[in-house]
């Protein structure tokens, strides 16, 4: 029991350090406040509201891409959305030499990149300079609705990010930095998700074989989940709403300080409790919660 208490205190102390660092970056435990920095927050965006801000600067890229690669350091917002044209179009507003945003196709890869942005260091918790609101760059990329990528790799850095209608056959990797990320209608296999500081929401997604590492904030995943789903909880809340039945999933859960609930029922709680259910089911869910909470819900009720 003494070891468990010591472990709990260590985890709480580590969590406090992460939260303090998060606040220095402008984040909060549940969300990142874009209004405080002058950045946009997505909320519930209507499709017709996502438009190019200046049609005169729209660029078109001829050719097709088998891969999508995104490496963003600091921008105000990044949008990758579908349209009904066969070509790829993009627009970059308020681009600067410091940001160096660029969109191109190289070696069958659609590349969306910026320069690495570094801020002056300050002692200890002042290590991060919270001057993000000075950067106003917006990147909008429109891809054909029927586009299918072999691999997708996205590192969104510091940005408000919207990803819509992306299809990845071989792999899909998403690393969120600081900010709000919304992912819609994405279909992918071999999925790896790493959330950062802020709010991350997945809507109507279809994932096969998924690995999720949660950071600081709230992460919500709604959609169809097949194969295996591995969740490593962080600080904050992870909510997974699965379009399916509980009986179709083998569930293994181990909790730290936080709690794990499955189908609205507490499965594991304070300090190293474990839970196992439906070991012979065709799909598996493995949960390792940390300081925060993990909730697994199912849309279809299990027949008695």
């Amino acid at each position: 029991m003494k070891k468990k208490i010591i472990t709990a205190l260590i985890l709480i102390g580590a969590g406090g350090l992460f939260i303090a660092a998060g606040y220095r970056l402008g984040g909060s435990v549940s969300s990142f406040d874009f209004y405080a920095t002058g950045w946009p927050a997505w909320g519930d965006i209507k499709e017709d509201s996502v438009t190019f801000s200046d049609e005169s600067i729209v660029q078109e890229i001829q050719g097709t891409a088998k891969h999508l690669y995104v490496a963003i350091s600091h921008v105000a917002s990044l949008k990758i959305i579908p349209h009904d044209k066969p070509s790829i179009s993009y627009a970059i507003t308020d681009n600067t030499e410091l940001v160096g945003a660029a969109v191109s196709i190289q070696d069958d890869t659609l590349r969306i990149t910026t320069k690495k942005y570094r801020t002056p260091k300050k002692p200890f918790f002042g290590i991060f300079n919270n001057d993000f609101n000075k950067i106003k760059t917006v990147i909008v990329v429109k891809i054909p609705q029927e586009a299918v990528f072999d691999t997708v790799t996205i590192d969104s850095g510091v940005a408000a990010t919207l990803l819509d209608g992306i299809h990845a056959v071989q792999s899909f990797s998403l690393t969120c930095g600081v900010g709000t990320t919304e992912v819609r209608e994405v279909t992918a296999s071999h999925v790896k998700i790493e959330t950062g500081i802020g709010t991350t929401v997945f809507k109507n997604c279809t994932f096969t074989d998924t690995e999720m590492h949660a950071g600081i904030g709230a992460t919500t995943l709604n959609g169809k989940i097949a194969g295996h789903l591995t969740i490593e909880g962080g600080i904050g809340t992870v909510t997974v709403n699965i379009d399916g039945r509980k009986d179709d999933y083998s569930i293994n859960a181990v909790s730290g300080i936080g709690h794990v609930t499955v189908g609205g029922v507490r499965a594991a709680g304070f300090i190293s409790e474990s839970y196992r259910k439906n070991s012979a089911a065709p799909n598996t869910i493995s949960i390792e919660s940390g300081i925060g909470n993990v909730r697994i819900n199912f849309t279809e009720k299990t027949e008695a």
Side-chain angles (χ1 to χ4, degrees):
M1 182 65 183
K2 185 177 180 180
K3 289 183 178 180
K4 290 184 177 181
I5 293 173
I6 293 173
T7 301
L9 292 174
I10 291 172
L11 289 172
I12 290 171
L17 290 175
F18 278 118
I19 292 172
Y23 275 110
R24 292 300 301 168
L25 276 168
S28 69
V29 173
S30 62
S31 65
F32 182 80
D33 188 357
F34 285 95
Y35 294 106
T37 62
W39 290 1
W42 295 126
D44 188 13
I45 303 176
K46 295 180 179 178
E47 293 300 327
D48 57 5
S49 71
V50 183
T51 58
F52 290 130
S53 60
D54 185 351
E55 292 295 336
S56 65
I57 60 172
V58 173
Q59 307 274 346
E60 285 199 4
I61 303 177
Q62 300 300 323
T64 59
K66 294 182 179 180
H67 310 279
L68 171 61
Y69 174 80
V70 180
I72 297 297
S73 180
H74 291 60
V75 298
S77 62
L78 165 68
K79 311 172 190 177
I80 303 177
I81 55 179
H83 66 170
D84 58 1
K85 297 181 180 180
S87 60
I88 297 170
S89 302
Y90 73 92
I92 303 174
T93 59
D94 294 311
N95 199 5
T96 65
E97 184 177 352
L98 177 64
V99 175
V103 179
S104 64
I105 293 181
Q106 300 177 22
D107 299 326
D108 294 328
T109 300
L110 173 59
R111 297 174 56 87
I112 305 169
T113 60
T114 65
K115 293 180 180 178
K116 291 184 178 180
Y117 179 75
R118 300 184 183 277
T119 57
K121 292 184 178 181
K122 298 179 181 179
F124 200 47
F125 286 118
I127 188 170
F128 300 108
N129 187 346
N130 194 13
D131 290 334
F132 302 147
N133 59 319
K134 294 181 180 179
I135 296 177
K136 304 295 184 182
T137 308
V138 175
I139 304 173
V140 180
V141 180
K142 294 187 176 182
I143 60 176
Q145 290 179 345
E146 68 278 6
V148 177
F149 297 101
D150 287 346
T151 65
V152 173
T153 303
I154 299 174
D155 186 342
S156 61
V158 180
T161 304
L162 173 63
L163 308 174
D164 191 357
I166 296 174
H167 188 173
V169 177
Q170 296 179 8
S171 66
F172 178 90
S173 175
L174 172 63
T175 302
C176 305
V178 179
T180 296
T181 301
E182 184 171 323
V183 181
R184 305 177 184 168
E185 304 285 348
V186 169
T187 300
S189 299
H190 302 290
V191 178
K192 184 175 182 180
I193 300 164
E194 295 186 23
T195 64
I197 300 174
T199 301
T200 305
V201 179
F202 297 83
K203 297 182 177 180
N204 300 322
C205 293
T206 301
F207 291 157
T208 301
D209 297 333
T210 305
E211 178 182 338
M212 178 188 294
H213 301 271
I216 301 173
T219 301
T220 303
L221 171 57
N222 303 310
K224 297 179 179 180
I225 305 296
H228 68 261
L229 169 63
T230 301
I231 300 173
E232 184 179 305
I235 301 171
T237 302
V238 176
T239 303
V240 180
N241 301 311
I242 297 176
D243 185 4
R245 299 187 318 133
K246 179 180 176 182
D247 283 354
D248 291 333
Y249 295 84
S250 169
I251 304 171
N252 300 311
V254 177
S255 68
I257 293 176
H259 293 86
V260 176
T261 59
V262 178
V265 178
R266 181 177 173 276
F270 184 69
I271 307 178
S272 299
E273 280 192 317
S274 61
Y275 170 90
R276 293 178 183 273
K277 191 75 173 178
N278 304 334
S279 59
N283 306 294
T284 63
I285 300 175
S286 299
I287 305 165
E288 190 173 317
S289 73
I291 296 175
N293 300 320
V294 177
R295 297 192 290 256
I296 308 295
N297 303 309
F298 299 88
T299 59
E300 297 182 26
K301 294 182 179 181
T302 300
E303 296 180 3

